[in-house]
């Protein structure tokens, strides 16, 4: 069912946390609220869940206004960062808790519980308690508990941030697979850009209570609309228009019409290529090995550039280089 947030605002002690935020989640969409700590994304999720009242604006589920509807009546599934499993209940009892509250017949509840245990790949752990499970297993159980009530919307609040890197990557894949298999519209809060790029159909990038840009992961990475988006999602080289006119005029072909001080050119590091040259205008200042690639910091034409190249790159600090950039891969952002 289509879900929309319309002009939602919220303040705490006179300080705005959300400023007229609007967006939509389609019937099978996976949408990520992405932004730094304090940008308002968790406040927004709590308002959507019904755990916090909005000061103004509305929340619609299909054609129904649920803005003032209590959380227990919204039929949304929620997975928190801390799992929030009941420690004195077994895995089976945790998963079945919401179904029991809703009065689902025991036989139907047991069938649904067993189905979810298979879905989260824990069919033999039904009798264990949360303390007997790993962090990744506990998060799977929390996900199954949220899904057990067949929610109209699944809400995920930084669900992977407490896990180590290897388990976090594995859980990303599992959450993505479960969401695709069940087709449940999902809204997830994260500050992890890689998580958002991996999971989302749509990313809502937030900053200081406002939406900076909404789009697909590819759109936000390849065509960031603002300086904030360009810097928050991936690394970037941001170049003032005045410098571009003098040093890289080939980039001007795609520049929108606006005063120079309103725009900057954005070049991603992988679109800047350095080649060793005795008479090169550039000088390598730093080299960082990142496993699959080499990151270079290069002084060129009065500016510092970041470039990323294949790990076979043999450049070292002090080397003279020429730089090649791809004008077709540049973007112009609001400064």
């Amino acid at each position: 069912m289509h879900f929309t947030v319309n002009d939602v605002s919220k303040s705490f002690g006179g300080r705005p946390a959300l400023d007229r935020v609007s967006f939509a989640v389609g019937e099978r969409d996976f949408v990520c609220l992405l932004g730094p700590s304090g940008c308002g994304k968790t406040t927004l999720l709590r308002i959507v869940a019904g755990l916090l009242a909005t000061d103004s604006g509305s929340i619609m589920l299909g054609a129904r206004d649920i803005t003032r509807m209590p959380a227990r009546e919204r039929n949304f599934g929620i997975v928190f960062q801390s799992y929030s499993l009941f420690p004195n209940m077994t895995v089976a009892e945790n998963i079945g808790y919401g179904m029991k509250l809703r009065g689902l017949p025991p036989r139907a509840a047991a069938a649904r519980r067993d189905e979810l245990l298979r879905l989260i790949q824990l069919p033999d752990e039904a009798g264990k308690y949360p303390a007997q499970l790993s962090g990744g297993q506990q998060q799977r159980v929390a996900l199954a508990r949220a899904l057990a009530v067949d929610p109209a919307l699944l809400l995920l609040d930084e669900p992977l941030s407490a896990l180590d890197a290897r388990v976090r990557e594995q859980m990303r894949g599992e959450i993505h697979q479960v969401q695709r298999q069940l087709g449940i519209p999902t809204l997830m809060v994260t500050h992890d850009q890689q998580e958002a790029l991996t999971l989302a159909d749509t990313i809502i990038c937030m900053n200081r209570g406002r939406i900076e840009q909404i789009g697909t992961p590819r759109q936000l990475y390849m065509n960031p609309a603002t300086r904030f988006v360009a810097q928050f999602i991936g690394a970037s080289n941001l170049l003032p228009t005045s410098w571009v006119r003098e040093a890289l005029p080939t980039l001007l072909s795609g520049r929108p019409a606006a005063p120079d001080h309103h725009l900057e050119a954005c070049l991603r590091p992988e679109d800047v290529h350095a080649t060793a040259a005795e008479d090169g205008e550039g000088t390598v200042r730093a080299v960082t090995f990142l496993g699959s690639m080499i990151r270079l910091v290069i002084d060129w034409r009065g500016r510092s550039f970041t470039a990323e190249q294949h790990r076979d790159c043999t450049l070292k600090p002090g080397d003279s280089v020429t730089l090649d950039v791809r004008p077709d891969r540049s973007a112009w952002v609001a400064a």
Side-chain angles (χ1 to χ4, degrees), residues 207-241:
N207 181 33
R208 298 181 179 180
R210 296 184 178 182
I211 292 176
E212 291 271 337
Q213 188 174 355
I214 299 177
T216 66
R218 180 175 291 272
Q219 287 170 338
L220 267 66
Y221 186 81
M222 300 298 294
N223 295 290
T226 67
R227 162 181 271 268
F228 176 83
V229 176
Q231 291 182 313
F232 192 77
I233 299 179
S236 59
N237 297 289
L238 293 170
L239 311 171
T241 302

Side-chain angles (χ1 to χ4, degrees), residues 314-333:
T314 58
L315 292 171
K316 59 186 183 299
D319 284 352
S320 293
V321 295
T322 59
L323 284 193
D324 294 315
V325 301
R326 294 187 53 178
D328 61 308
R329 299 291 287 272
S330 64
W332 286 90
V333 303

Side-chain angles (χ1 to χ4, degrees), residues 44-291:
L44 181 54
L45 191 83
R46 291 177 62 82
I47 287 174
V48 169
L51 302 174
L52 191 64
T54 179
D55 293 343
S56 61
S58 64
I59 300 170
M60 306 291 293
L61 185 60
R64 187 168 50 146
D65 188 335
I66 63 169
T67 309
R68 304 302 172 192
M69 182 181 289
R72 63 181 179 277
E73 297 178 17
R74 297 191 182 194
N75 192 35
F76 291 170
I78 307 177
V79 180
F80 295 102
Q81 176 181 344
S82 59
Y83 319 142
S84 299
L85 297 177
F86 300 113
N88 59 331
M89 292 185 183
T90 64
V91 166
E93 290 168 340
N94 266 285
I95 295 174
Y97 181 75
M99 295 184 285
K100 184 177 180 181
L101 288 181
R102 285 164 173 77
L104 197 68
R107 183 171 296 182
R112 176 67 170 162
R113 178 200 66 211
D114 293 343
E115 174 190 4
L116 288 167
L117 282 167
R118 290 191 296 271
L119 186 67
I120 63 170
Q121 302 176 41
L122 294 175
D124 301 321
E125 314 298 333
K128 289 186 177 180
Y129 289 89
Q132 297 174 288
L133 304 177
S134 68
Q137 288 174 325
Q138 289 184 54
Q139 195 59 290
R140 291 185 202 173
V141 175
L143 178 62
R145 184 177 63 181
L147 295 171
V149 296
D150 194 20
L153 181 69
L154 179 62
L155 304 174
L156 306 175
D157 186 10
E158 302 264 14
L160 307 180
S161 60
L163 304 175
D164 64 49
R166 182 184 62 81
V167 177
R168 187 163 62 245
E169 186 172 349
Q170 179 184 352
M171 283 297 299
R172 283 179 195 159
E174 293 181 7
I175 287 176
H176 191 265
Q177 181 181 354
V178 168
Q179 192 271 341
R180 287 289 184 265
Q181 185 172 336
L182 299 180
I184 295 176
T186 300
L187 182 63
M188 175 170 145
V189 162
T190 182
H191 65 272
D192 187 325
Q193 55 173 284
Q194 193 63 44
E195 206 162 88
L197 292 171
T198 301
L199 290 171
D201 299 308
T202 300
I203 295 175
I204 300 171
C205 189
M206 297 184 64
N207 181 33
R208 298 181 179 180
R210 296 184 178 182
I211 292 176
E212 291 271 337
Q213 188 174 355
I214 299 177
T216 66
R218 180 175 291 272
Q219 287 170 338
L220 267 66
Y221 186 81
M222 300 298 294
N223 295 290
T226 67
R227 162 181 271 268
F228 176 83
V229 176
Q231 291 182 313
F232 192 77
I233 299 179
S236 59
N237 297 289
L238 293 170
L239 311 171
T241 302
S242 57
W243 182 89
V244 172
R245 287 189 187 281
E246 296 293 327
L248 271 177
T250 56
L251 298 186
L252 293 171
S253 59
R255 181 184 176 277
D260 280 3
H261 65 279
H262 286 179
L263 293 172
E264 291 178 300
C266 173
L267 282 171
R268 295 298 188 181
E270 64 270 22
D271 297 320
V272 178
H273 186 75
T275 304
E278 289 186 8
D279 58 348
E281 294 181 76
T283 303
V284 177
R285 294 303 180 196
V287 179
T288 305
F289 179 71
L290 298 176

